[in-house]
Amino acid sequence: MQEYRPIKEGKVREVYDNGESLIIVATDRISAFDHILKNRITKKGAILTQMSKFWFDFTKDIVPNHMISMDVQEMPEFFRNERFDGNSMMCRKLEMLPIECIVRGYITGSGWASYQENGTVCGIRLAEGLVESDRLPEPIYTPSTKAEIGLHDENISFEKSVEILEKLYPGRGADYAAELRDKTIALYKKCADYARGRGIIIADTKFEFGLDENGNVVLGDEMLTPDSSRFWPLSGYEAGKAQPSFDKQYVRDWLKANPDNELLLPEEVVEKTVDKYKEAFELLTGTPFQG
């Protein structure tokens, strides 16, 4: 049996070269504030992968995505075991674009902090009088650069995203930047409307795109998971305060409240995080999580 080693390891994912495709494995690692924590969140990788699959299927009418299969029986023998079953996805190879496509439908987190300071979010001026967790009249697109592990992403303007892409693809940068923005907002609107009907508010999220062999924009990476999004319960939502969440905000809050944490979570925080991920999956998909 051929042995495989990751060609790339991110904070959470491992990427394996499979010839004409890639196999992306979501581990049970968890990151916060650009650091990988020492704990493992049991079955988190499987929840993330299966949630991404749900959304990829749901949005393929808006933009094609990189998913080929989640069936390990269609992958090389090395992956046909419990370690990879349920948390692995065989994907098309793409030339990934160096832009994190962030969309915000509500004002929270760093956006709320920025708005309090100067009335803007990532350089975009918003109406006066907004309160924490307010729903914005229209979602806003706030791209950023992609940082290496241990470094912070840098918020950039739409114009800067044009400049970055123009350097890589002369004559096409503006078109690609506009397509990324428009696809990001279209994906968010469709999925946020759906999620709201299932009892979840998607406050914000990020997407990543790449180009296929013909230069077409394709959705890659993960999609609308608790790692890449803020999910709030619709029940009890009230603007003017921070909201409880289904995502890893619970982990972030604990880390901020315990600055001497040494990147190690107590077991009760791990268990509650697992439960939140599972609850979000089951609410959104309407099916029990099969881990």
Side-chain angles (χ1 to χ4, degrees), residues 171-229:
R172 302 197 66 184
D175 289 340
Y176 278 142
E179 187 170 0
L180 295 187
R181 177 196 61 203
D182 295 348
K183 296 293 191 205
T184 293
I185 292 174
L187 288 168
Y188 174 79
K189 284 184 172 181
K190 178 174 183 177
C191 296
D193 285 350
Y194 167 84
R196 196 175 182 87
R198 304 289 306 183
I200 289 181
I201 291 171
I202 303 175
D204 53 38
T205 191
K206 65 100 177 170
F207 303 113
E208 295 191 30
F209 297 89
L211 303 179
D212 66 13
E213 62 277 7
N214 297 315
N216 299 313
V217 170
V218 177
L219 180 61
D221 197 63
E222 63 180 318
M223 182 178 185
L224 285 165
T225 71
D227 268 18
S228 65
S229 317

Side-chain angles (χ1 to χ4, degrees), residues 97-105 121-124 126 136 138-145 155-162 165 176-186 188 205-209:
L97 297 171
I99 305 292
E100 294 248 320
C101 296
I102 299 166
V103 56
R104 304 168 191 260
V121 174
C122 299
I124 300 172
L126 301 180
L136 300 176
E138 282 293 322
I140 58 172
Y141 176 63
T142 59
S144 76
T145 59
N155 293 325
I156 58 174
S157 65
F158 173 75
E159 290 74 20
K160 182 64 175 178
S161 74
V162 172
L165 293 169
Y176 278 142
E179 187 170 0
L180 295 187
R181 177 196 61 203
D182 295 348
K183 296 293 191 205
T184 293
I185 292 174
Y188 174 79
T205 191
K206 65 100 177 170
F207 303 113
E208 295 191 30
F209 297 89

Side-chain angles (χ1 to χ4, degrees), residues 4-281:
Y4 285 78
R5 293 184 179 278
I7 58 170
K8 181 180 178 182
E9 289 194 61
K11 299 184 187 82
V12 173
R13 284 167 181 74
E14 298 171 348
V15 181
Y16 296 81
D17 192 340
N18 187 40
E20 294 186 356
S21 63
L22 296 174
I23 294 173
I24 300 177
V25 179
T27 71
D28 289 342
R29 297 192 294 266
I30 189 167
S31 69
F33 303 119
D34 294 316
H35 291 286
I36 299 171
L37 306 187
K38 295 177 181 177
N39 303 82
R40 297 292 182 266
I41 309 297
T42 307
K43 294 298 180 182
K44 171 177 169 285
I47 295 170
L48 295 182
T49 303
Q50 293 174 39
M51 192 176 289
S52 286
K53 180 186 184 301
F54 171 81
W55 291 118
F56 284 146
D57 286 336
F58 185 69
T59 59
K60 60 188 177 183
D61 61 320
I62 294 177
V63 60
N65 60 69
H66 69 168
M67 180 176 67
I68 298 173
S69 175
M70 270 191 59
D71 186 351
V72 293
Q73 297 306 313
E74 297 180 10
M75 302 178 195
E77 185 181 354
F78 177 80
F79 298 94
R80 299 174 200 164
N81 59 65
E82 187 177 350
R83 176 186 166 197
F84 297 104
D85 195 5
N87 65 332
S88 303
M89 184 179 291
M90 185 160 58
C91 302
R92 300 162 61 185
K93 285 186 172 179
L94 302 174
E95 182 179 332
M96 297 304 292
L97 297 171
I99 305 292
E100 294 248 320
C101 296
I102 299 166
V103 56
R104 304 168 191 260
Y106 292 73
I107 188 165
T108 185
S110 62
W112 170 238
S114 173
Y115 177 79
Q116 288 178 288
E117 184 176 327
N118 56 32
T120 70
V121 174
C122 299
I124 300 172
R125 183 156 298 280
L126 301 180
E128 294 181 4
L130 297 177
V131 297
E132 184 176 9
S133 305
D134 246 342
R135 187 176 188 177
L136 300 176
E138 282 293 322
I140 58 172
Y141 176 63
T142 59
S144 76
T145 59
K146 292 183 186 178
E148 297 297 323
I149 293 177
L151 299 176
H152 291 285
D153 297 338
E154 177 189 352
N155 293 325
I156 58 174
S157 65
F158 173 75
E159 290 74 20
K160 182 64 175 178
S161 74
V162 172
E163 182 182 322
I164 290 170
L165 293 169
E166 184 63 25
K167 286 180 180 178
L168 293 171
Y169 309 101
R172 302 197 66 184
D175 289 340
Y176 278 142
E179 187 170 0
L180 295 187
R181 177 196 61 203
D182 295 348
K183 296 293 191 205
T184 293
I185 292 174
L187 288 168
Y188 174 79
K189 284 184 172 181
K190 178 174 183 177
C191 296
D193 285 350
Y194 167 84
R196 196 175 182 87
R198 304 289 306 183
I200 289 181
I201 291 171
I202 303 175
D204 53 38
T205 191
K206 65 100 177 170
F207 303 113
E208 295 191 30
F209 297 89
L211 303 179
D212 66 13
E213 62 277 7
N214 297 315
N216 299 313
V217 170
V218 177
L219 180 61
D221 197 63
E222 63 180 318
M223 182 178 185
L224 285 165
T225 71
D227 268 18
S228 65
S229 317
R230 280 190 177 91
F231 293 154
W232 298 337
L234 178 60
S235 175
Y237 164 73
E238 183 181 352
K241 61 182 181 179
Q243 308 295 312
S245 70
F246 291 105
D247 54 52
K248 61 181 178 181
Q249 189 60 43
Y250 182 69
V251 170
R252 296 188 193 101
D253 291 344
W254 188 89
L255 292 171
K256 283 194 289 187
N258 297 271
D260 299 325
N261 56 74
E262 297 183 348
L263 301 180
L264 185 65
L265 303 171
E267 193 57 35
E268 65 187 57
V269 175
V270 172
E271 291 176 1
K272 189 165 184 178
T273 302
V274 172
D275 290 343
K276 284 177 173 291
Y277 276 51
K278 286 182 179 177
E279 185 180 1
F281 175 88

